[in-house]
Amino acid sequence: MFAIKNNFPIFKAHPDLIFTDNASTTQKPAAVIEAISQYYREMNANVHRAVYDLGNQSDQIYRDTRQEICEFYQKETCIFTHGTTDGFNKLAMSLENQIDSRSNIIVTEMEHHSNLVPWQELCQRTGAELRLVGMTDEGTLDYEQMEKLMDDSTRIVSMVHISNTLGTINDLKRVRKIIGNRNAWFLVDAAQSCAIHIDLIQNSDADAYIFGGHKMFGPTGVGILLAKKKLLNELPPFHFGGGMVTEVETLKSEYKEDVTRFEAGTPPIAQIAGLKEAVRFISEVDLGQCRQNVSRLAKTLRARLEAEGFDCLGKGQDTAGIVSVTFGDIHPHDAASFLNTKNIAVRAGHHCTQLIMKKYGIQACVRFSFSIYNRDQEVDSIMHAIKEMKSFFS
Amino acid sequence: MSRLNKMYQEQLLVEAKNPYHFDKRIDIEESIRAYNPLCGDRYDLFLGEEIFFHGFGCAISKASTSLMIKFLEGKSNEEAIHSIKKFIKGIEGGGQIEEELLLIFRNPDHFKGRHDCIKLSWNAMLKYLLNLPS
């Protein structure tokens, strides 16, 4: 783990930083930062339109990254978006012509708002019914309820893979079985699994996986929508303009047939260059070891927090390195500010999962989320700071 | 003074633990809500002859609301609008906070990342006052 941390310049700039806000965004390896910088220094040109060498290089990066991402996650194709929220909004807009007032859409109580609000809006526009799969107090999805809620009118099942608040890893294979042969698209919010739970993405069979590059050590501003070709083949383009057309007449236009019909305008090329390096970086890391580490860190922290009498959300089964906790009378923002003075970066709030907050009857909580550069001794530092915090606010 | 003690001065913590007029006065008809959707902080301000408040929030927003209620006592609506605007400007770095009661907030740099907590109820109160029929 020590060697991995050395790849991240942020820890050279802030040697004492304990960064446990990885569910929000991950830090960037030097290779990713350098790829973005090098792109602007040595290659900057627009894609699609240039015939000169620099433009060809940009085209090459744009094409190669798409291919490398598909190969890495073992999916048929992908389109570039601007992030998870953007990906779901685009899907919710473009699937509208497949939804009517007889349809229902299934989401879960664990959803991040990015995979909830777009479907609420779609249902309001079309009159379709939004059905919510609940979860147990332990933070496990109620798969039996999902079976009951699903019927022949279900057109979309859109669910979170790993809860950004609870760390619960949902069983995508089981959900695929529940969907069976129904005429429903299976869409997955992979924002928390795209970095180190690659195997679960590779070995599951959803129609689309949506995530942002910055969750997987890549840059902000670029996201990925991995998809089966049969899904994209049925979707109309989301955005219109340059780069996605073949023939333009006065009153109408014809669109490209390949995936670039979904990528109108100039794409975030420098970020895509950074994303390419992020994929290479992840592919060189021992992900099995990383998964064990983040899981161990989260389980250890949870056990020690509970031993101090604090309430952790859920039961931490299959934890993916995420622990959310409330500190009694100490408000989450006060806790986060206190921890900040000890160089511990955490997130406080509802984490864009207000349904989970309502489930547990709280307004907000503090979330610790670990990644590949966190170490065991950081849990000791966190617990030491928390004991100090308890005394400070008492 | 440490970073921590600059933000959480003793007076602020005392104010947050013993907030002024912290009472759910549902007998008062007029009420407004101060709500921060990012963190879930939510206070109801009950606006009768005196102002009371109740709800959930951090030490900083609670102390700030408590002090605001003390500070606005006896002020006309016009005076309150002027004072609130001045305070908010001070927090945003556009002016000085000189009123003795509010001196714990005189250095906004000590509250980096928490300005919204300080301003939560002040903004709600200002919006209410500005929308009153003249």
Side-chain angles (χ1 to χ4, degrees), chain A residues 136-313:
Chain A
T136 65
D137 289 344
E138 286 74 31
T140 304
L141 204 61
D142 188 343
Y143 295 97
E144 288 176 11
Q145 189 194 18
M146 181 182 269
E147 281 198 69
K148 288 175 191 156
L149 288 176
M150 211 173 293
D151 59 27
D152 290 342
S153 297
T154 303
R155 289 288 164 268
I156 295 167
V157 179
S158 191
M159 61 175 282
V160 66
H161 187 184
I162 296 177
S163 164
N164 68 308
T165 301
L166 304 169
T168 305
I169 302 175
N170 290 319
D171 187 344
L172 300 183
K173 288 184 177 176
R174 185 168 174 181
V175 175
R176 172 46 86 193
K177 274 187 192 162
I178 295 171
I179 295 172
N181 292 324
R182 289 189 178 91
N183 183 25
W185 296 116
F186 181 20
L187 315 175
V188 173
D189 170 0
Q192 300 302 331
S193 51
C194 61
I196 62 173
H197 292 81
I198 315 295
D199 57 328
L200 296 178
I201 294 177
Q202 291 170 337
N203 298 324
S204 57
D205 185 33
D207 296 301
Y209 300 79
I210 297 95
F211 51 92
H214 70 106
K215 305 283 192 187
M216 47 171 287
F217 315 112
T220 54
V222 64
I224 299 295
L225 197 163
L226 294 167
K228 287 184 181 172
K229 286 180 180 169
K230 72 169 185 179
L231 170 64
L232 294 190
N233 287 345
E234 289 196 26
L235 298 184
F238 323 120
H239 285 157
F240 303 90
M244 50 80 69
V245 289
T246 51
E247 193 68 36
V248 176
E249 305 290 349
T250 307
L251 296 179
K252 61 175 186 173
S253 300
E254 286 179 4
Y255 307 133
K256 286 179 175 174
E257 291 187 354
D258 68 9
V259 290
T260 60
R261 73 185 184 280
F262 297 115
E263 297 168 358
T266 299
I269 313 167
Q271 285 83 349
I272 289 170
L275 196 60
K276 188 170 188 238
E277 282 307 314
V279 170
R280 285 186 181 171
F281 173 79
I282 297 172
S283 64
E284 288 168 7
V285 169
D286 181 348
L287 289 176
Q289 183 69 47
C290 291
R291 287 191 289 273
Q292 278 181 24
N293 284 339
V294 298
S295 178
R296 185 184 64 256
L297 291 171
K299 283 176 177 165
T300 306
L301 178 62
R302 173 180 284 270
R304 292 178 67 176
L305 287 167
E306 287 178 341
E308 288 291 322
F310 297 121
D311 292 324
C312 296
L313 272 59

Side-chain angles (χ1 to χ4, degrees), chain B residues 11-26:
Chain B
Q11 192 195 336
L12 186 144
L13 291 175
V14 168
E15 195 73 36
K17 282 178 190 162
N18 306 283
Y20 183 63
H21 280 194
F22 191 71
D23 193 358
K24 196 172 185 176
R25 289 290 300 272
I26 50 174

